[in-house]
Amino acid sequence: MPGIPLISHSDALTYGFEELARNGNVVQAELLEQILVQNADADYLKEHKLNGCTDLETFKARLPLITYADIEGYIQKIADGDQSPVLCQKPVDMFFLSSGTAKGRTKLIPAHYDFFLNTIRLFQLSGAFRGRHFPLSSNAKVMDIVYCGKQTMTKGGILTGTGTTNYFRSEAFKLKQQSTKMFNSSPNEVIFSSSLPQATYCHLLFALLAADDIAVISSTFVYTIVEAFRFLEKTWSILADCIESGTLPEWITDHAIQTVASKQLTQDHPDRDRGTLAAKIRLECSRGFQGIIPRLWRNTSYVLSIMTGTMLSYCEAMRFYAGPGLALVCGDYGASESWMGINIDPLSSPHNTIFTIVPDLAYFEFIPLERRKFSKIQEINGPVVPPSSLFTEVAAPVSMADVRVGQEYEIAITTSSGLYRYRVGDVVRICGFYHDLPQFVFVCRRDVQLSIHIDKNGETELAVVMERSAAVLHGTGVGVAEYTAHADVSFRPGHYVVFVELDVDVDVDVDLDVPHVRKGNQGSSKVAQEKRDDFERVLQECCDCMDGAFVEPGYVVSRAAKTIGPLELCVVERGTFRKLAESALDKGATLNQYKTPRCIAAPHLLAILRAGMVRSFYSGVRRE
Ligand code: AMP
């Protein structure tokens, strides 16, 4: 109609968010009231004597802040088939298995189908913000490196799977592709395959066959994309042969995949096109893998994945494959319990990504935290404080309207699916507001820590240590593929162990391939031995550097007082961290949700790491 400006669907979405942002505090208050009215008859609220009250003061006074352990009994009742409103009025539609990798324990999070509707809405919304800077053609294809685990039923018949598994197997997944007009290049047969290598191979195969249509490369957590490209480094010549011949390798045995992949190869792509594509793959891959994405997928606009938090450590590898020019856009912030924040600035780098609270997803509270400090006496006398938390709570939780810029908080949420004042366990730092909505950076998981006694280091400190030691390794051309740490108190004095998997095999590649240590004639065993000795010296230096890079006062004084022993650098053989992941997957996690735990205590995981050990170094006498 003349005179009325047309606004696009994307504009409407971002306009809708603008409205939410301007009224964020009102939206929060209304949401809390709605949850408490709707669930007034739930056993949990009755037992806490809420008596139908919906005001914030009573809510805070009568309901405690809780963790999963506090409601495990209620959840078990629901899982066993109790039909009464245990935690919430509306029957629980499904359970999400929270990866629980930080503590090695899996949680059952009650959920309603509405979670998926929120997922679609959030994807559309953040897609609209990305679209302002990276417009995509409609029907763009996404190389989405995702995997789907198994679903089971609880005793009471409630469907259980990880959030992503339940989502991929739901109608919502189809709906999301249609509503965002972005379609996965891999068919469901690939996503649903129970074989990770076969699924990864086919994700690559389908994305190569649709190379010119791929606009986005994505995954839930960036670790999975990096793994897929490491896999490409090993399998590119097989992929090229497969594409050229139109025949799948023999080890693709998953029947469903065989059928769709063979059809795609032979019926949908003529021989001539496949020959050209195979030649291109051989040419580009033989030139190396730096910047391989834009060389093989020339129309890619950006890589989209969660790259914040522990995922930051994969960004360098991601940048390597993406090349310098391709945007790395951070995915939104959420958990099995609820979505929480959205990235409205897709141009920000992973190191600077901030999230904006979405106020109608859950009722948010913020628990003010301070990093634990130690008195001089505690520092000198050694073991006083039991290993608890890096952070202490310094004040009562506040609502969204009362957060302060610069302050760190743990987030607690109240949801319509029966979580009340539930600690998510994540620490965030407020860095500003978008109208009413707090904006924050993700800091770390609150409970992940290394501690022998008074020392307190978390995944953030460990990430800094790893960055420093990577610089020592840098000159060798060798990189750290994976890492984790453990506070070993099995003998006195306790000490930190940093487990590292390198991107070379120390016993094979170091003889052949490491530029910095390459000397003279290859082949002579004396030279090989010299090169190995050189490399071991670098690793020793790396170990010393790690020890020195832990600058947290508790650690520094304890090392000086010898109440913490020398740091141990434990180099494990390639593939060891994959075994860690497999062990989590066996327990019900999926690769989409998997995050390498940065501090490990579980004996079965330590056993895997120790079994993979190929070299061990202890830090020198610098602090002794
Ligand atoms: P899960 O419930 O297993 O899906 O894991 C959720 C957890 O993943 C959150 O509590 C965070 O610790 C982490 N996480 C999710 N999204 C992000 C993000 N955008 N940045 C950093 N960490 C995230």
Side-chain angles (χ1 to χ4, degrees):
M1 219 191 288
I4 299 179
L6 289 173
I7 64 164
S8 69
H9 182 54
S10 298
D11 287 343
L13 284 167
T14 50
Y15 179 74
F17 186 69
E18 192 71 14
E19 284 292 295
L20 267 185
R22 287 184 193 281
N23 300 303
N25 294 322
V26 176
V27 172
Q28 278 277 279
E30 287 174 356
L31 179 65
L32 180 64
E33 187 180 352
Q34 187 189 319
I35 293 172
L36 297 180
V37 167
Q38 190 180 312
N39 294 337
D41 288 331
D43 297 349
Y44 183 83
L45 293 187
K46 282 187 179 162
E47 281 163 29
H48 285 86
K49 312 233 174 319
L50 204 62
N51 302 332
C53 295
T54 57
D55 63 288
L56 187 58
E57 220 169 283
T58 317
F59 166 75
K60 284 189 175 180
R62 304 214 179 141
L63 299 183
L65 285 167
I66 56 163
T67 64
Y68 183 76
D70 297 308
I71 49 167
E72 214 165 356
Y74 294 88
I75 288 181
Q76 200 54 54
K77 259 176 141 185
I78 302 172
D80 289 346
D82 191 326
Q83 300 287 329
S84 62
V86 178
L87 287 170
C88 57
Q89 188 66 37
K90 214 163 107 181
V92 167
D93 291 326
M94 61 201 141
F95 282 117
F96 292 157
L97 284 170
S98 171
S99 54
T101 41
K103 280 194 170 162
R105 215 175 51 181
T106 308
K107 304 172 198 159
L108 284 183
I109 308 294
H112 292 129
Y113 193 75
D114 305 10
F115 188 100
F116 294 150
L117 301 180
N118 279 335
T119 305
I120 296 175
R121 184 165 65 89
L122 225 75
F123 283 173
Q124 286 179 324
L125 183 57
S126 56
F129 280 106
R130 284 192 299 277
R132 290 175 168 184
H133 306 282
F134 306 104
L136 303 178
S137 61
S138 66
N139 298 337
K141 281 202 172 164
V142 186
M143 172 182 180
D144 201 7
I145 312 285
V146 289
Y147 305 88
C148 190
K150 288 198 183 75
Q151 288 173 310
T152 53
M153 286 287 180
T154 64
K155 191 171 141 204
I158 300 180
L159 196 65
T160 304
T162 62
T164 44
T165 295
N166 287 350
Y167 168 65
F168 292 133
R169 291 195 188 270
S170 76
E171 276 300 299
F173 179 47
K174 253 190 248 157
L175 211 65
K176 178 243 158 188
Q177 297 189 61
Q178 283 154 6
S179 63
T180 54
K181 295 270 177 283
M182 286 174 65
F183 295 90
N184 285 31
S185 53
S186 297
N188 282 355
E189 287 82 350
V190 174
I191 296 168
F192 293 170
S193 172
S194 58
S195 160
L196 283 182
Q198 295 185 47
T200 308
Y201 182 87
C202 288
H203 274 312
L204 293 166
L205 176 67
F206 277 88
L208 284 165
L209 289 170
D212 287 352
D213 299 330
I214 299 285
V216 179
I217 294 188
S218 77
S219 70
T220 312
F221 290 99
V222 71
Y223 162 79
T224 332
I225 306 184
V226 169
E227 277 288 294
F229 278 92
R230 286 180 181 149
F231 190 80
L232 176 69
E233 289 200 43
K234 288 192 213 138
T235 53
W236 61 271
S237 68
I238 305 175
L239 275 159
D241 292 349
C242 160
I243 287 172
E244 189 170 51
S245 66
T247 320
L248 290 165
E250 277 171 12
W251 53 270
I252 300 289
T253 51
D254 180 320
H255 188 65
I257 288 188
Q258 273 177 344
T259 312
V260 280
S262 301
K263 178 173 173 297
Q264 180 79 359
L265 271 168
T266 49
Q267 290 179 16
D268 300 342
H269 290 81
D271 289 1
R272 199 164 46 90
D273 288 359
R274 282 192 280 112
T276 314
L277 178 59
K280 184 167 180 196
I281 294 168
R282 289 191 188 106
L283 176 72
E284 297 300 349
C285 291
S286 59
R287 285 179 172 159
F289 285 84
Q290 184 154 19
I292 191 71
I293 294 178
R295 284 189 279 126
L296 284 180
W297 291 275
R298 61 189 174 137
N299 294 323
T300 307
S301 283
Y302 55 88
V303 175
L304 171 67
S305 192
I306 293 174
M307 303 185 204
T308 33
T310 62
M311 293 296 138
L312 264 180
S313 55
Y314 302 100
C315 283
E316 207 181 312
M318 189 65 254
R319 176 55 73 204
F320 174 82
Y321 294 119
L326 191 62
L328 301 185
V329 181
C330 281
D332 302 317
Y333 169 58
S336 305
E337 291 86 352
S338 173
W339 282 104
M340 292 177 274
I342 184 175
N343 175 9
I344 62 172
D345 179 12
L347 296 183
S348 60
S349 79
H351 282 89
N352 299 316
T353 297
I354 59 174
F355 299 102
T356 306
I357 286 279
V358 182
D360 59 353
L361 294 172
Y363 182 76
F364 294 99
E365 287 178 83
F366 297 82
I367 308 165
L369 300 175
E370 226 169 55
R371 284 170 193 255
R372 198 183 271 275
K373 294 188 191 84
F374 298 102
S375 70
K376 265 277 167 277
I377 298 292
Q378 282 174 322
E379 288 173 7
I380 293 161
N381 289 347
V384 188
V385 189
S388 54
S389 175
L390 257 183
F391 297 92
T392 44
E393 286 158 31
V394 288
V398 295
S399 299
M400 209 174 77
D402 298 317
V403 294
R404 281 194 300 113
V405 173
Q407 173 71 48
E408 289 180 332
Y409 297 92
E410 180 184 349
I411 295 187
I413 54 171
T414 296
T415 67
S416 56
S417 55
L419 303 177
Y420 305 95
R421 311 195 77 203
Y422 176 98
R423 292 164 179 269
V424 176
D426 289 339
V427 180
V428 301
R429 186 181 317 111
I430 304 295
C431 47
F433 286 87
Y434 183 71
H435 302 305
D436 277 1
L437 308 179
Q439 296 188 297
F440 57 89
V441 291
F442 178 90
V443 177
C444 62
R445 295 279 314 164
R446 186 172 170 185
D447 57 358
V448 174
Q449 59 185 293
L450 283 171
S451 180
I452 305 282
H453 37 69
I454 64 162
D455 53 303
K456 294 276 176 291
N457 284 292
E459 56 189 10
T460 321
E461 288 73 16
L462 183 61
V464 172
V465 167
M466 294 312 296
E467 221 163 87
R468 296 258 170 86
S469 56
V472 177
L473 271 180
H474 196 69
T476 65
V478 175
V480 171
E482 272 294 1
Y483 69 91
T484 188
H486 170 59
D488 186 347
V489 289
S490 58
F491 58 89
R492 287 177 69 101
H495 71 295
Y496 286 10
V497 189
V498 179
F499 293 94
V500 162
E501 183 173 317
L502 300 173
D503 59 7
V504 295
D505 185 324
V506 262
D507 284 322
V508 181
D509 302 344
V510 168
D511 283 352
L512 304 172
D513 222 18
V514 182
H516 175 68
V517 290
R518 187 183 297 145
K519 282 185 193 151
N521 247 344
Q522 290 207 1
S524 130
S525 64
K526 185 159 170 275
V527 171
Q529 187 55 47
E530 269 178 24
K531 283 192 288 183
R532 242 182 253 181
D533 291 347
D534 271 359
F535 191 59
E536 303 231 341
R537 270 193 286 278
V538 175
L539 288 174
Q540 179 63 56
E541 204 185 311
C542 203
C543 175
D544 292 340
C545 166
M546 284 175 176
D547 195 11
F550 278 109
V551 292
E552 182 266 333
Y555 185 79
V556 174
V557 290
S558 303
R559 284 288 290 119
K562 297 187 186 171
T563 52
I564 293 183
L567 180 141
E568 183 183 356
L569 166 61
C570 199
V571 181
V572 297
E573 68 186 348
R574 295 197 79 185
T576 304
F577 277 77
R578 175 148 280 274
K579 287 185 192 153
L580 276 193
E582 281 163 6
S583 151
L585 303 189
D586 284 348
K587 288 193 160 51
T590 56
L591 201 58
N592 305 320
Q593 270 182 306
Y594 181 72
K595 310 154 206 73
T596 300
R598 292 301 177 209
C599 301
I600 280 188
H604 70 288
L605 300 181
L606 285 169
I608 295 173
L609 290 165
R610 285 288 183 195
M613 184 173 100
V614 287
R615 293 283 191 287
S616 158
F617 303 85
Y618 283 89
S619 58
V621 290
R622 196 177 61 79
R623 282 169 162 170
E624 304 277 296

